[in-house]
């Protein structure tokens, strides 16, 4: 075994194979680089260096480079040392911190290895390491931009495998046929390659749709990073720079400051339901989670008929370091201590600067952030002390009691909570109402008259709203002095999430059911490739949360009766693939690096140029080697074939021309052409130019006299 | 034709290891792209396993064999492949080296037999890992031969018995033996037309007129070879090779050669007049019983080749 | 009988004369053998190529007649040998006879010493006699009692053989047939020709009336001229490929030898001359491939001229023709 491993391997001569492997390796390295690994020095070194390395390996393939191997080993040692240095110097030992230096290490190893790939086996191992590098890029990537690299790399890898196999087979001796010639024809590479790639794509898609989604098991990594630490002006308060002039934290923005197109007025200390205008579809964040859920930002408990407000103005500070442990609201804690809960781990990648809220599924228990302190309100929602701008990442572990419909139905029915209990405090706080219009209260009573349990009451109200009102973004403005709920239910009969949620909360409170309004984001569209939920600004949402004694807060969204985005979530990796692709035009991501484009163009030009030059040289050489009888016979053959009488390989020119003259080129002079050809070909002195011209004109005349038969079937 | 998977190429094994590792990484980090990549690799794996098998099933193989061969000397099986994939082919029985196959092929497949005997079937193996070269599948095709392939022993160079050491005369395709078997019977008077070299000068001197030698009729000397293949296998093979060498040497010298062998159906006595027939007779010879000792043509010199060499006097034969 | 070798280089080489000679011979033979243009053409080709001819066919179709007609057309001497099992080599070559009068040995030449020698039923002679004949054909000389005597120039042997009989025959083996340039099967005459024969046209009577069309020396000159016909390298490659094809064929145990390539080339040159051309074209080679090569192949399971001819024609039909 040892002997075999060290046996000298024959050097690989195929340039095509080397080029294709180089393309695959470069695609993988640029993919990794595009994820932000390494500085600009590494960028240049990687792309240029790898191309140079492969060229050098090809040139040096017959040499036995001991010195080279020693140098490369040294290089690997240095790279590993710098990796260790980067890792040990990092603050935490979490997996997420190691990823980038590890990727850098892989890149350096790949670069060094590219200098020493003489044999085919080395090239294939290079390909394997490019797979690892592509996987590293895949792990680091959170956007769809990796698709381009993946396609290039995939095609290059498939081509390399096909070419390597051809090369391996080509090393074997050929069969030699009857005439001492090779009994094989030169078969093309393109057709089987295209077939193989198509089949691989087909099978891969099928597998992708079936394989369980990543991260469905226990999560080990909790990524967190902050690109900049700009503290919020009001520590513990809410800051939302995307609201422009309406930013609650700041006089910093001038009066003329526009609200950002993706800003949502719900992420503020008060929510005025008379405000109209929705955010656009800018991508604001990406969430990695095993299940979709509403990413809640904050809740409101005080209603005055038009505006929601929060009662808690002094959030508590929570400190910690990876993770920061949160306590949650009193009622949440009480319930989680008692009953079984379901855990959900989320990682949020912020794309646009927004409010300093931690968006997470209810209710967050641990927070992984690159900051040591956050502010927790008494409803369990969290504000950060620093601005969350683009590139910020945090992970949250949320817990929620395991809930089914029957549990909700059975929750605390008929029991009146005793004073001082948690349930009683919740009921008191969250049934606060101003003067509710009589119509509204009466409606609530009428609709829920026949409902026995709280759950049924909620459902009844939802059903009524679904049947009697319309969900639309375009509603008339709220007249001054009007009650928002009354206006929505009886006058406009149309509204969007704020109106609907508010109406549900108000009606439930009027029945004595504790309820509040939550604001946050709907899950967003799942990108089947990255596995992340892409949350856009127009996914901003407001919904109702209802408290069930003994069970906890449960979200209800009447707009579920209205078609919402989202299909039943199954846990295979390829969920949503078809709708995702259908909803997108294939568009190149904006972040395609210049390197890739330049490389691709350069490679295409070089290949095309080389191919064209080679073809032209070969054609010229072949043409120069061909004699007049050969060429003229070919013209005769073409003329005959076009008219349905091709020449058999064993048919002599004389016979052929005689056959033509009696069939498809009926001209007696054509019969002599064969003689002229053979005299020119086999006679001692050939044929004079004059006779050649004569023969050519005879053929020309005969050919124009008789029409072509068209293509033979 | 039964198709079976023969193995993974070394890079394929490494690929499996890497993929297992990546799957673990994917599950822990929860990366969606990694699942895409692994799905693609799974696609590659399925294609790499399925296509070679399917390609071999599609292939049509025709094999024809020559009728004779010699141990240690390459013979050519004619291989005709239709719709064959890119891969390699080799002869299995008799054994040969791998040759490359690029699609349809019609050519000779070289094989070197290593054992004497009669083959009623030959087999050829076709192997491919098309198109990705990761997993190899092979199919073995066995063809019943209409004429059995008779593989003769590798001839060992042997010297003719001294009595039959003959000179050669002239060049050309066959050496003509000098008629050493002729005996002088007497002398007689010269008759016009007698060859000058027949003149017996001594008799002429004595008689005073031209006298010529009177000869026995010319006979082409013949050699009978008794091939005794009883005994252990290695000895039998050695015997067969010696017999082959002797017979070939005798044929080359222009003698009439008769082989006495035992075949599966019984004893066989027959002349051989071409090297090919020597190989064939010895290919078919087995060691089940004692070889026959006749009948032999008149004046035949007999040699016994075998484990022991007693020299019985066969009927009709004569000893030097 | 002319017994000395002719100095061919001294003779006038005229290509046109050679063509004319071929035409005259063909016409002459056509008077005797009716309706057999192809065998006549092949016989003349063999003659002009300088190689010997073997006529292999069933009895009674005119093999002897053709050979005799050839001899008469050439105007040279004619020797006839009937193959019988008791034929001795000395009867072919000749013997030294002691002459009492001069107290010396005198050489009496045998029937081999003629311009055209017909060896009828060569397969009935013993192998020993056959060898003597074939050696004489190859070396154009005979050694008797230590002295070598040259055979006349031109020296052309027409041998006949009946392939059907096996009893009491010694059929020529492939190595011996290799010495013949062409093997021709005459075949039964067509109905019209056979009727003409019965009614008195052609046949032995016509033979009596044949006049020679040339002198033996002229034939020698023609043969020498034909050897100088130009053959392009591509044609030579074609011939080599053809012959190589016979060697590599699956059914063939022993293929044609380089001697065969040479004899095919000479025959092709003769064919070109007969067509009036001073250079060889592929059609010349194709037309003569079967007669020149089929008899030299040793096949599995016995050599059969029909099968061998089939194999050679198949090779000719599949091998691509050179394009120059």
């Amino acid at each position: 075994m040892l002997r075999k491993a060290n046996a000298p391997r024959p050097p690989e001569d195929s340039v095509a194979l080397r080029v294709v492997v180089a393309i695959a390796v470069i695609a993988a390295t640029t993919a990794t680089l595009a994820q932000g690994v390494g500085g600009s020095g590494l960028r240049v070194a990687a792309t240029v260096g790898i191309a140079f390395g492969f060229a050098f390996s090809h040139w040096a393939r017959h040499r036995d480079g001991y010195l080279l191997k020693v140098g490369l080993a040294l290089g690997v040692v240095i790279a590993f040392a710098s990796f260790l240095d980067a890792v040990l110097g990092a603050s935490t030992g979490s997996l997420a911190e190691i990823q980038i230096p590890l990727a850098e290490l892989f890149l350096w190893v790949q670069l060094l290895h590219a200098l020493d790939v003489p044999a085919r086996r080395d090239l294939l191992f290079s390909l394997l390491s490019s797979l690892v590098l592509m996987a590293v890029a895949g792990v680091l990537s959170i956007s769809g931009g990796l698709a381009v690299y993946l396609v290039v790399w995939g095609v290059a890898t498939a081509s390399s495998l096909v070419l390597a196999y051809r090369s391996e087979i080509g090393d074997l001796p050929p069969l030699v046929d009857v005439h001492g010639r090779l009994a094989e024809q030169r078969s093309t590479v393109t057709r089987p390659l295209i077939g193989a790639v198509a089949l691989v794509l087909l099978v891969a898609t099928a597998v992708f749709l079936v394989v369980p989604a990543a991260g469905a098991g226990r999560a080990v990594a909790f990524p967190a990073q902050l690109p900049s630490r700009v503290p919020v002006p009001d520590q513990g308060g809410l800051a939302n720079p995307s609201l422009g002039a309406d930013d609650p934290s700041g006089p910093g923005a001038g009066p003329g400051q526009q609200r950002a197109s993706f800003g949502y007025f719900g992420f503020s200390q008060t929510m005025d339901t008379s405000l109209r205008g929705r955010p656009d579809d800018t991508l604001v964040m990406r969430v990695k989670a095993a299940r979709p859920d509403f990413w809640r930002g904050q809740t409101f408990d005080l209603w005055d008929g038009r505006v929601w407000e929060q009662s808690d103005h002094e959030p508590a500070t929570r400190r910690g370091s990876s993770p920061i442990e949160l306590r949650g609201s009193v009622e949440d804690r009480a319930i989680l201590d008692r009953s079984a809960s379901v855990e959900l781990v989320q990682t949020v990648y912020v794309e646009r600067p927004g409010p300093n809220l931690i968006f997470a599924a209810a209710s967050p228990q641990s927070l992984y952030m690159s900051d040591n302190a956050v502010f927790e309100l008494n409803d369990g929602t969290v504000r950060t002390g620093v601005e969350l701008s683009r590139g910020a990442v945090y992970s949250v572990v949320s817990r929620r009691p395991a809930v089914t419909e029957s549990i909700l139905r059975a929750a605390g029915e008929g029991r009146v909570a005793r004073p001082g209990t948690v349930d009683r405090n919740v009921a008191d706080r969250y049934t606060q109402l101003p003067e509710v219009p009589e119509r509204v209260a009466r409606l609530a009573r009428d609709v829920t008259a026949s409902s026995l349990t709280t759950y049924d009451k909620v459902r009844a109200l939802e059903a009524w709203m679904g049947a009697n009102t319309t969900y639309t973004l375009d509603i008339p403005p709220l007249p001054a002095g009007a009650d928002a709920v009354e206006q929505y239910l009886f006058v406009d009969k149309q509204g969007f999430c704020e109106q609907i949620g508010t109406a549900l909360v108000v009606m439930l409170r009027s029945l004595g059911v504790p309820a509040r309004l939550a604001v946050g984001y709907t899950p967003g569209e799942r990108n089947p490739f990255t596995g992340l939920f892409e949350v856009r600004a127009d996914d901003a949402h407001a919904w109702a949360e209802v408290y069930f004694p003994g069970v906890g807060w449960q979200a209800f969204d009447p707009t579920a009766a209205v078609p919402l985005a989202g299909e039943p979530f199954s846990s295979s990796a390829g969920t949503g693939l078809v709708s995702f692709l259908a909803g997108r035009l294939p568009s190149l991501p904006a972040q395609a690096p210049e390197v890739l484009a330049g490389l691709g163009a350069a490679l295409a030009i070089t290949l095309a140029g080389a191919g064209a030059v080679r073809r032209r040289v070969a054609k010229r050489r072949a043409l120069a080697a061909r004699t007049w009888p050969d060429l003229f016979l070919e013209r005769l053959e073409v003329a005959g074939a076009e008219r349905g009488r091709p020449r058999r390989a064993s048919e002599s020119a004389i016979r052929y021309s005689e056959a033509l003259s009696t069939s498809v080129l009926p001209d007696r002079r054509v019969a002599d052409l064969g003689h002229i050809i053979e005299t020119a070909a086999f006679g001692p002195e050939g044929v004079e130019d004059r006779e050649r011209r004569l023969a050519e004109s005879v053929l020309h005349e005969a050919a124009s006299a008789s029409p072509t038969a068209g293509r033979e079937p | 034709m039964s198709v079976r998977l023969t193995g993974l190429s070394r890079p394929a094994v490494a690929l499996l290891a890497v993929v297992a590792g990546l799957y673990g990484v994917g599950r822990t980090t929860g990366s969606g792209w990694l699942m895409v990549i692994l799905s693609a690799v799974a696609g590659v794996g399925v294609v790499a396993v399925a296509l070679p098998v399917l390609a071999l099933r599609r292939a049509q193989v025709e094999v024809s064999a020559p009728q004779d061969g010699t141990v240690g000397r390459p013979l050519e099986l004619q291989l005709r492949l239709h719709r064959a994939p890119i891969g390699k082919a080799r002869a299995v029985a008799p054994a040969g080296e791998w040759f490359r196959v690029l699609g349809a092929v019609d050519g000779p497949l070289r094989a070197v037999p290593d054992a004497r005997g009669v083959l009623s079937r030959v087999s050829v193996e076709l192997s491919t890992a098309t198109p990705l070269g990761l997993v190899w599948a092979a199919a073995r095709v066995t063809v019943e031969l209409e004429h059995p392939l008779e593989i003769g022993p590798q001839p060992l160079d042997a010297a003719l018995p001294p009595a039959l050491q003959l000179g050669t005369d002239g060049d050309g395709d066959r050496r003509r033996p000098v008629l050493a078997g002729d005996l002088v019977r007497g002398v007689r008077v010269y008759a016009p037309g007698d060859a000058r070299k027949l003149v017996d000068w001594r008799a002429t001197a004595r008689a005073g007129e031209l006298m010529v030698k009177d000869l026995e009729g010319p006979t082409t000397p013949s050699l009978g070879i008794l091939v005794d293949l009883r005994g252990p296998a290695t000895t039998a093979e050695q015997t067969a090779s010696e017999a082959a060498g002797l017979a070939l040497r005798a044929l080359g010298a222009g003698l009439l050669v008769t082989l006495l062998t035992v075949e599966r159906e019984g004893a066989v006595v027959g002349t051989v007049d071409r090297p090919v027939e020597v190989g064939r007779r010895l290919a078919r010879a087995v060691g089940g019983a004692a070889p026959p000792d006749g009948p032999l043509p008149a004046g035949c010199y007999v040699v016994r080749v075998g484990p022991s060499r007693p020299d019985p006097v066969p009927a009709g034969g004569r000893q030097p | 009988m002319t017994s000395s070798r002719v100095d061919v280089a001294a003779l006038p080489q005229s290509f046109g004369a050679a063509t004319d000679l071929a035409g005259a011979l063909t016409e002459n033979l056509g008077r005797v053998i009716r309706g057999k243009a192809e065998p006549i053409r092949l016989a003349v080709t063999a003659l002009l190529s300088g190689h010997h001819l073997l006529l292999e066919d069933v009895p009674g179709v005119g093999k002897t007649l053709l050979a005799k007609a050839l001899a008469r057309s050439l105007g040279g001497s004619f020797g006839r040998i009937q193959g019988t099992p008791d034929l001795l080599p000395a009867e072919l070559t000749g013997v030294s006879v002691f002459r009492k009068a001069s107290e010396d040995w005198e050489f009496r030449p045998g029937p081999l010493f003629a311009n055209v020698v017909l060896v009828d039923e060569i397969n009935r002679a013993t192998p020993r006699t056959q060898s003597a004949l074939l050696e004489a054909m190859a070396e154009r000389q005979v050694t008797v009692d230590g002295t070598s005597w040259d055979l006349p120039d031109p020296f052309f042997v027409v041998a006949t053989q009946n392939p059907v009989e096996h009893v009491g025959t010694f059929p020529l083996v492939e190595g011996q047939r290799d010495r013949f340039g062409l093997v021709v099967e005459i075949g039964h005459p067509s109905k019209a020709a056979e009727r003409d024969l019965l009614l008195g046209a052609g046949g032995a009577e016509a033979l009596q009336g044949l006049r020679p069309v040339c002198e033996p020396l002229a034939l020698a000159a023609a043969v020498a001229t034909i050897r100088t016909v130009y053959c392009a390298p591509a044609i030579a490659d074609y011939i080599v490929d053809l012959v190589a094809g016979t060697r590599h064929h699956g059914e063939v145990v022993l293929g044609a030898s380089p001697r065969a390539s040479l004899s095919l080339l000479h025959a092709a040159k003769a064919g070109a001359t007969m067509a009036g051309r001073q250079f060889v074209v592929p059609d010349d080679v194709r037309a003569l491939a079967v007669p020149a090569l089929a008899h030299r192949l040793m096949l599995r399971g016995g050599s059969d001229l029909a099968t061998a001819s089939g194999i050679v024609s198949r090779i000719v039909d599949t091998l691509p023709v050179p394009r120059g």
Side-chain angles (χ1 to χ4, degrees), chain A residues 294-301 310-318 324-334 336 346 356-367 374-384 394 396-400 426 429-430 516-519 543 545 547 553:
Chain A
F294 283 171
W295 318 120
R296 188 182 66 183
Q298 54 183 13
T299 69
F300 295 102
D301 49 351
Q310 288 175 319
S311 61
D312 184 358
H313 293 287
E314 285 181 8
T317 309
R318 302 279 179 240
I324 302 173
E325 293 296 337
L326 304 168
R327 304 234 186 99
S329 63
V330 175
E331 60 274 20
D332 287 332
R333 207 161 46 242
L336 286 172
Q346 312 125 70
N356 62 333
L357 291 171
I358 295 290
F359 288 94
S363 33
Q365 302 294 304
S366 319
L367 172 64
V374 293
F375 305 95
E376 190 179 8
L377 286 82
N378 60 12
D379 60 358
T381 58
V382 180
R383 295 175 183 161
T384 62
Y394 57 86
V396 181
V397 180
S398 303
R399 280 208 136 76
R400 197 216 322 225
V426 165
R429 177 172 168 199
Y430 288 104
R516 66 187 179 194
L517 190 73
V519 290
W543 63 94
E545 288 190 338
Y547 183 74
W553 288 101

Side-chain angles (χ1 to χ4, degrees), chain A residues 10-40:
Chain A
E12 175 63 40
D13 289 326
S14 161
V15 176
L17 178 58
R18 230 174 256 277
V19 166
V20 182
V21 172
I23 291 176
V25 169
I26 291 177
T29 45
T30 44
T32 311
L33 290 170
Q35 308 309 321
V37 173
S40 56

Side-chain angles (χ1 to χ4, degrees), chain B residues 9 96 108 156 196 221 229 240 245 268 272 307:
Chain B
S9 62
L156 283 179
R196 191 163 81 177
L229 292 176
V268 175
V272 290

Side-chain angles (χ1 to χ4, degrees), chain C residues 248-273:
Chain C
H248 293 119
H249 199 277
E251 293 282 309
V252 173
V253 172
L254 188 65
S257 59
R259 185 193 289 144
S261 318
L262 204 56
S263 119
L264 176 56
L265 175 65
H266 294 156
K269 286 188 178 180
T273 307

